[in-house]
Amino acid sequence: MKPTPMQTIPLKQSRTLRIEILRHNPADPDSHPHLQVFEIEEAETMTLFIALTEIRQTQDASLQFDFVCRAGICGSCGMLINGRPGLACRTLTRELPDTIRLAPLPGFELIGDLSVNTGKWMRGMSERLETWVHRENIEAIDIDAVEQRMAPELAEQLYELERCIECGCCIAACGTAQMHEDFVGAAGLNQIARFRLDPRDTRSDADYYELVGDESGVFGCMTLLGCEDYCPKNLPLAVQLAFLRRKMARQGL
Ligand code: SF4
Ligand code: F3S
Ligand code: FES
């Protein structure tokens, strides 16, 4: 029923949140990993990013965590939220229980507390997989050919795979990536799928096989599917992985 102007709309009962944060500063020799507990009053539409900012402003200015955009675009606020990878800025506290345990994403260099160096990992992967458009003979580039129009359907397919924000959630959610540090993960294989589709890239399937036709690439993936389950951008990772595996298996024959 629509409220009259005199009626008040009851707010959802507010909660005191118990936020347990795994803290450690690897740059400090006296620091040891430990859980620190904070309590804050939940506010309507509070995200984990807002909760962490409030803790840093009112309780502990030394708390480290990353953010830039606060809108699920930059990929810097990934962390383990009650054991599952996710973005702090896109997670509402009301979707979580009263006790929330936060830890840094595993599989990346720890900077401190909830801050990890996903940028270093992504750059290493990018350099290794050469994630840029290759032209077979750079001197012979025909600018008109490079600028040729692309069919809208193909452009859309490329765009779909380019939505990756390099947050690292797929790496943190992947058992293979946790066991083998040279595994390029779903983020890397998604890049390969993207460049294979691009008609401007003149690399052949044999070239791609050289890059990812082994245990650190497509054949390291054990179809655990944590990557697809926890990708905050809902990228079609499982489909890409299966497609690449089929293609690479044929190359290896
Ligand atoms: Fe994040 Fe998804 Fe990209 Fe992995 S594929 S880095 S989970 S956006
Ligand atoms: Fe890992 Fe995803 Fe494969 S979770 S094992 S990359 S299906
Ligand atoms: Fe940019 Fe969360 S702060 S994705």
Side-chain angles (χ1 to χ4, degrees), residues 66-78 87-90 165:
D66 294 321
F67 71 93
V68 178
C69 70
R70 295 173 288 169
I73 297 167
C74 71
S76 57
C77 67
L87 299 180
C89 73
R90 303 304 291 165
I165 55 172

Side-chain angles (χ1 to χ4, degrees), residues 17 19 40 45-55 65 77 79-82 86-94 96 100-102:
L17 298 175
I19 303 193
I40 58 166
T45 68
M46 181 179 250
T47 62
L48 272 181
F49 162 74
I50 294 172
L52 287 168
T53 303
E54 185 175 322
I55 289 171
F65 60 96
C77 67
M79 59 187 66
L80 283 190
I81 303 162
N82 286 343
L87 299 180
C89 73
R90 303 304 291 165
T91 304
L92 292 165
T93 56
R94 69 167 180 239
L96 299 168
I100 302 168
R101 183 170 288 189
L102 303 177

Side-chain angles (χ1 to χ4, degrees), residues 173-174 176 183 186 221-227 241:
C174 173
T176 307
F183 180 53
C221 170
M222 298 186 289
T223 326
L224 299 173
L225 297 182
C227 53
L241 291 168

Side-chain angles (χ1 to χ4, degrees), residues 20 32 40 57 65 67 98 162-163 165-166 198 217 234:
E20 305 172 346
H32 301 288
I40 58 166
Q57 285 174 347
F65 60 96
F67 71 93
D98 299 358
E162 278 179 359
R163 291 188 304 105
I165 55 172
E166 302 194 341
D198 195 324
N234 297 319

Side-chain angles (χ1 to χ4, degrees), residues 5-77:
M6 295 301 292
Q7 281 177 309
T8 53
I9 301 169
L11 288 175
K12 186 172 167 264
Q13 200 180 359
S14 84
R15 300 183 297 173
T16 300
L17 298 175
R18 176 187 162 93
I19 303 193
E20 305 172 346
I21 301 179
L22 185 58
R23 306 215 45 193
H24 179 45
N25 179 0
D28 175 0
D30 296 328
S31 170
H32 301 288
H34 64 284
L35 276 182
Q36 186 171 354
V37 178
F38 300 93
E39 287 194 349
I40 58 166
E41 290 305 306
E42 185 177 36
E44 284 284 314
T45 68
M46 181 179 250
T47 62
L48 272 181
F49 162 74
I50 294 172
L52 287 168
T53 303
E54 185 175 322
I55 289 171
R56 187 152 70 183
Q57 285 174 347
T58 62
Q59 300 187 43
D60 191 336
S62 70
L63 180 63
Q64 296 187 66
F65 60 96
D66 294 321
F67 71 93
V68 178
C69 70
R70 295 173 288 169
I73 297 167
C74 71
S76 57
C77 67

Side-chain angles (χ1 to χ4, degrees), residues 206-224:
D207 296 329
Y208 288 119
Y209 187 85
E210 280 288 306
L211 288 170
V212 291
D214 62 10
E215 294 289 307
S216 67
V218 284
F219 301 121
C221 170
M222 298 186 289
T223 326
L224 299 173

Side-chain angles (χ1 to χ4, degrees), residues 106-108 121 170-186 220-222 224:
F108 300 98
W121 192 99
C170 58
I171 305 304
C174 173
T176 307
Q178 299 309 309
M179 287 186 294
H180 303 295
E181 63 174 30
D182 57 348
F183 180 53
V184 299
C221 170
M222 298 186 289
L224 299 173

Side-chain angles (χ1 to χ4, degrees), residues 122 163-170 187 230-233 235 237:
M122 293 292 168
R163 291 188 304 105
C164 173
I165 55 172
E166 302 194 341
C167 63
C169 289
C170 58
Y230 293 106
C231 174
K233 304 309 280 186
L235 287 173
L237 299 171

